[in-house]
Amino acid sequence: MAKKKVATKAEREHMSKVASLGCWVCQRPANVHHIRPIGLGIGRRSSHYDTIPLCYDHHQGQFTIHNCKQQFEDMYGKETNILQEVKKRVADMEQANDLFNFYNTHKGEI
Ligand SMILES: [Zn+2]
Ligand SMILES: [Zn+2]
């Protein structure tokens, strides 16, 4: 079986953007949770891009996505739907950053 894949720089940057959104449920400082790919064989690692932000309590605590997934999804929505929303927000964030960088780079010219 393959060793744990080390995240590339781009993947790490993506994950830090995901984490910077704050916990999906309570907005507290978060870590990333990897969505398990559905319908793929065992051994297929989930992608570092398929991550959602969750704080410890909503991630590894008692009634969480890891310990009580059904209950978690009943309360907060399916993790695949959350993932779509998270990806949208990160894309918005990237767009805002691009504009900001563009403005800063071209400040003297405008
Ligand atoms: Zn939380
Ligand atoms: Zn997790």
Side-chain angles (χ1 to χ4, degrees):
M1 194 133 307
K3 272 198 296 181
K4 190 169 189 263
K5 191 165 146 274
V6 176
T8 64
K9 185 165 178 283
E11 287 169 335
R12 283 202 307 273
E13 277 174 10
H14 180 85
M15 286 191 283
S16 76
K17 283 175 198 159
V18 170
S20 76
L21 293 173
C23 176
W24 187 254
V25 178
C26 67
Q27 275 85 50
R28 279 192 294 173
N31 283 312
V32 296
H33 163 70
H34 286 76
I35 304 283
R36 214 166 276 275
I38 301 157
L40 294 164
I42 297 163
R44 161 71 161 75
R45 279 196 57 77
S46 49
S47 159
H48 291 302
Y49 289 101
D50 294 339
T51 43
I52 62 173
L54 290 171
C55 70
Y56 180 82
D57 284 348
H58 287 116
H59 189 195
Q60 282 133 324
Q62 205 178 356
F63 298 109
T64 63
I65 206 149
H66 279 287
N67 292 319
C68 232
K69 188 172 171 201
Q70 189 59 55
Q71 193 169 0
F72 183 94
E73 293 198 328
D74 285 348
M75 287 170 79
Y76 308 119
K78 290 195 83 60
E79 66 174 5
T80 44
N81 293 345
I82 297 173
L83 176 63
Q84 293 314 314
E85 279 301 311
V86 166
K87 283 189 171 174
K88 249 186 257 168
R89 291 204 196 175
V90 169
D92 286 351
M93 196 194 295
E94 282 169 349
Q95 210 167 26
N97 281 344
D98 284 351
L99 273 175
F100 180 78
N101 291 336
F102 180 85
Y103 177 75
N104 271 324
T105 317
H106 298 272
K107 221 182 337 199
E109 305 158 27
I110 298 170

Coordinates of all heavy atoms in Angstrom, one line a residue, residues 23 25-28 55 58, ligand 1:
C23 N -14.2 27.0 11.2 CA -15.1 25.8 11.3 C -16.4 26.0 10.5 O -17.0 27.1 10.7 CB -15.4 25.5 12.7 SG -16.5 24.1 12.9
V25 N -19.2 24.8 11.0 CA -20.4 24.8 11.8 C -20.4 26.0 12.7 O -21.4 26.7 12.9 CB -20.4 23.5 12.7 CG1 -21.6 23.5 13.6 CG2 -20.4 22.3 11.8
C26 N -19.2 26.3 13.4 CA -19.2 27.3 14.4 C -18.2 28.5 14.2 O -18.1 29.3 15.0 CB -19.0 26.7 15.8 SG -17.3 26.0 15.9
Q27 N -17.5 28.5 13.1 CA -16.6 29.6 12.7 C -15.3 29.7 13.6 O -14.6 30.6 13.5 CB -17.3 30.9 12.7 CG -17.9 31.2 11.3 CD -19.3 30.6 11.3 OE1 -20.1 30.8 12.2 NE2 -19.6 29.8 10.3
R28 N -15.2 28.7 14.5 CA -14.0 28.8 15.3 C -12.8 28.3 14.5 O -12.9 27.7 13.5 CB -14.1 27.9 16.6 CG -14.9 28.5 17.7 CD -14.8 27.8 18.9 NE -15.5 26.5 18.8 CZ -15.5 25.5 19.7 NH1 -14.8 25.7 20.8 NH2 -16.1 24.4 19.6
C55 N -13.5 22.6 13.3 CA -12.8 22.7 14.6 C -12.7 21.3 15.2 O -13.4 20.4 14.8 CB -13.4 23.7 15.5 SG -15.0 23.1 16.2
H58 N -16.1 19.7 16.3 CA -16.9 19.3 15.2 C -16.2 18.3 14.3 O -16.8 17.8 13.3 CB -17.4 20.5 14.4 CG -18.5 21.3 15.1 ND1 -18.3 22.5 15.6 CD2 -19.7 20.9 15.6 CE1 -19.3 22.9 16.2 NE2 -20.2 22.0 16.3
Ligands
ZN1 ZN -16.8 23.9 15.1

